Amino acid sequence: SLHRIGVAAWAWNDVHDGLASAALLGEGDAALGISHTGQTRETVEMLAEAGSRGATTVALTGFPRSPLAELADVVLLTASQPTTFRPDALSARHPQLVVLDLLYIAVAQRTHDRAHAAFRRTAQAVGGHKASTGAST
């Protein structure tokens, strides 16, 4: 979503790509590590690398005393309740997605003019690729 409003942002699932990207960050950049438990070693390593390069580090986790939260400059906490049919890891995803969407909205609001222009351009660029529903308008 951030790319759609002109903000350079990357998401890495591969630890090598994440560490390489984190090593290129510096002051003025931000790195966000997402781990419900805050104990995922690869996520902690990537955030630590970004922080060692001067980037502002943000942890999105459900555990404020976790390794991820302890090393982050900013900690965003989520709460979730596991159920019989939705284990802890899955129940944690929805609150995390809400927080990520709220972060996107906050950035878009703070950069409104630039974000609006970029969103309009990106929407126009992909507009021709939307499937036709066959319904008349």
Side-chain angles (χ1 to χ4, degrees):
S1 294
L2 290 171
H3 273 289
R4 294 287 304 265
I5 60 170
V7 176
W10 295 267
W12 303 108
N13 290 320
D14 178 81
V15 69
H16 295 130
D17 290 336
L19 286 168
S21 182
L24 297 175
L25 297 178
E27 289 189 29
D29 295 323
L32 172 66
I34 305 169
S35 169
H36 172 61
T37 64
Q39 295 180 12
T40 306
R41 186 178 53 124
E42 294 82 359
T43 304
V44 171
E45 288 175 358
M46 288 184 273
L47 205 64
E49 178 66 29
S52 75
R53 304 297 177 169
T56 299
T57 55
V58 181
L60 177 55
T61 183
F63 292 85
R65 290 181 179 82
S66 64
L68 187 68
E70 293 292 332
L71 73 86
D73 298 314
V74 177
V75 179
L76 303 174
L77 293 174
T78 55
S80 60
Q81 182 66 38
T83 65
T84 302
F85 299 108
R86 184 165 282 161
D88 204 29
L90 186 58
S91 66
R93 254 193 205 100
H94 293 109
Q96 289 171 342
L97 290 171
V98 169
V99 170
L100 291 174
D101 196 43
L102 291 171
L103 286 172
Y104 162 73
I105 291 168
V107 170
Q109 288 176 334
R110 283 167 178 76
T111 60
H112 181 270
D113 293 342
R114 184 185 73 167
H116 184 68
F119 189 80
R120 195 171 52 245
R121 284 194 311 269
T122 59
Q124 183 179 10
V126 300
H129 290 270
K130 293 190 178 197
S132 174
T133 61
S136 60
T137 55

